[in-house]
Amino acid sequence: MTVALTYALLTILSLLTSAAPAAADLKLCNRMSYVVEAAIGVDDKSATATRGWFRIDPATCRVVLQGDLTADRILLHARALSLYGASPIPENGNDTLCVAQDNFIIAAARQCRTGQTPAPFTQITPTRTDDGNLVAYLAESAEYDDEQARLAGIQRLLGIAGYDAAPIDGVDGPKTQAALAAFLKSRNLSADIVSQPNFFSTMVDAVQAPSPTGLTWCNDTPHKVMAAVATDDGRSVISRGWYRIDPGKCLHPDITGQPKKVYSFAEAVDADNRSIKLKDKPLNWGGLTQLCTRESKFETSEQGDCPSRGFTATGFAAVDIARGGKTLRFALP
């Protein structure tokens, strides 16, 4: 490593780790209806570093870089929490940089090492605010303001937790209030908590715990599990995935309406998303009903001749949720 490159890396790391009082901070503000995790890339001359993850709830901001920014470019990668299923945030960007699954700082982020994976980053151009700081916004096509983003985020988590607050539009009304009241009552929570800063953490925890309604997946293995769900409303069967379930966590796939049948498939994977095998057999949990899946994010209502459309025929198990909640626990054999 040359002296110049070493100096550049030290400069970038000082930007990524500085906790000193800042002359100008960079803030990320979330105007999406999802709780997101963001990673920042700092491109400075001949070196690029990344840092993550910064969790940002709907309608909140978080400082991700402190001090006057002298870097050539600032880049961003964002992902929604795994409980939302396949990422609703477009996975695109002109730069491919390294990230890790858990919190990380990577000094040389263009050559991934063990435990690191490549991710698409997009260059951002923050806006300078009246107080001299810089701000960049995460937004979705609905173009919510802060109040709408917060309410839409609550509606979305209520739906995943098994309470009907549809449509997810950031507009308050009797249906949303009834769903919220039912959620609070089921968790013995007072109405005051809704206005507290930690309310989204409370809701996220609720979504990742077994539920008395709908379908719950719980991962009792030491591996990451990727799951897919399918619903049959009597007219068509829609399969979609993937939902990431971390070890020791539970998750509720979003099942809208009142389907006549529900199906489930799950598979344990390693850090590179390759199937875990035990005695040369994939560690998965499914059944005999053949439905269409593919390796990347998917949703399809066509279940015939999967290979001709770029899909794979996968065996799903039927799940009976007609009598209330059903929890499927994925464990080692």
Side-chain angles (χ1 to χ4, degrees):
M1 183 182 292
T2 66
V3 174
L5 180 55
T6 301
Y7 175 78
L9 286 173
L10 289 173
T11 301
I12 291 174
L13 283 174
S14 68
L15 279 171
L16 289 177
T17 60
S18 172
D25 296 337
L26 171 61
K27 293 193 298 184
L28 285 180
C29 296
N30 181 8
R31 286 183 173 171
M32 302 183 69
S33 57
Y34 301 88
V35 178
V36 302
E37 295 174 321
I40 292 292
V42 178
D43 201 357
D44 189 59
K45 299 180 176 62
S46 57
T48 304
T50 55
R51 181 182 180 183
W53 298 93
F54 300 95
R55 173 172 157 158
I56 314 173
D57 294 340
T60 63
C61 298
R62 182 164 180 182
V63 173
V64 295
L65 288 175
Q66 293 181 311
D68 290 324
L69 302 181
T70 59
D72 297 328
R73 297 192 305 154
I74 304 297
L75 304 113
L76 171 68
H77 172 82
R79 67 184 188 185
L81 295 187
S82 61
L83 59 88
Y84 294 108
S87 179
I89 301 175
E91 296 291 327
N92 53 29
N94 296 325
D95 288 73
T96 300
L97 305 178
C98 303
V99 301
Q101 184 61 40
D102 299 317
N103 293 340
F104 65 90
I105 296 177
I106 301 174
R110 291 195 179 274
Q111 294 183 336
C112 300
R113 300 180 180 180
T114 302
Q116 301 172 3
T117 57
F121 279 69
T122 301
Q123 183 177 350
I124 60 174
T125 304
T127 301
R128 190 169 295 277
T129 59
D130 293 339
D131 59 7
N133 291 318
L134 298 170
V135 62
Y137 290 93
L138 295 167
E140 54 187 297
S141 58
E143 297 184 347
Y144 298 122
D145 60 23
D146 284 342
E147 183 178 352
Q148 293 167 336
R150 190 174 193 279
L151 183 55
I154 291 172
Q155 291 171 328
R156 191 173 297 282
L157 286 172
L158 284 171
I160 297 175
Y163 300 89
D164 186 6
I168 299 166
D169 55 8
V171 178
D172 202 358
K175 191 174 182 181
T176 296
Q177 288 301 314
L180 182 56
F183 168 80
L184 295 174
K185 182 178 180 180
S186 70
R187 267 72 181 181
N188 295 317
L189 300 171
S190 68
D192 296 342
I193 197 173
V194 178
S195 59
Q196 298 300 313
N198 64 342
F199 183 56
F200 276 99
S201 294
T202 299
M203 296 200 73
V204 167
D205 289 344
V207 169
Q208 296 184 108
S211 171
T213 62
L215 172 62
T216 302
W217 289 312
C218 289
N219 180 4
D220 295 335
T221 80
H223 309 292
K224 177 175 67 174
V225 168
M226 302 299 290
V229 67
T231 55
D232 182 354
D233 64 1
R235 299 185 300 273
S236 63
V237 179
I238 299 175
S239 57
R240 67 178 178 275
W242 295 94
Y243 297 81
R244 187 180 83 239
I245 314 166
D246 294 324
K249 299 292 186 180
C250 296
L251 185 148
H252 311 294
D254 46 327
I255 299 175
T256 58
Q258 295 180 327
K260 297 181 180 298
K261 296 179 181 179
V262 175
Y263 302 91
S264 169
F265 173 81
E267 183 174 39
V269 298
D270 62 17
D272 296 318
N273 289 324
R274 295 174 299 193
S275 297
I276 298 288
K277 292 186 178 181
L278 296 179
K279 297 181 180 180
D280 296 327
K281 292 184 178 180
L283 179 58
N284 59 35
W285 301 266
L288 300 178
T289 302
Q290 297 292 304
L291 301 175
C292 295
T293 66
R294 63 183 175 199
E295 290 187 1
S296 57
K297 172 184 176 182
F298 72 93
E299 180 172 329
T300 181
S301 59
E302 297 182 28
Q303 302 301 334
D305 195 10
C306 302
S308 69
R309 297 184 294 108
F311 289 80
T312 300
T314 301
F316 280 63
V319 182
D320 183 8
I321 61 172
R323 299 179 180 87
K326 178 68 175 181
T327 297
L328 298 181
R329 306 200 76 95
F330 306 131
L332 297 177

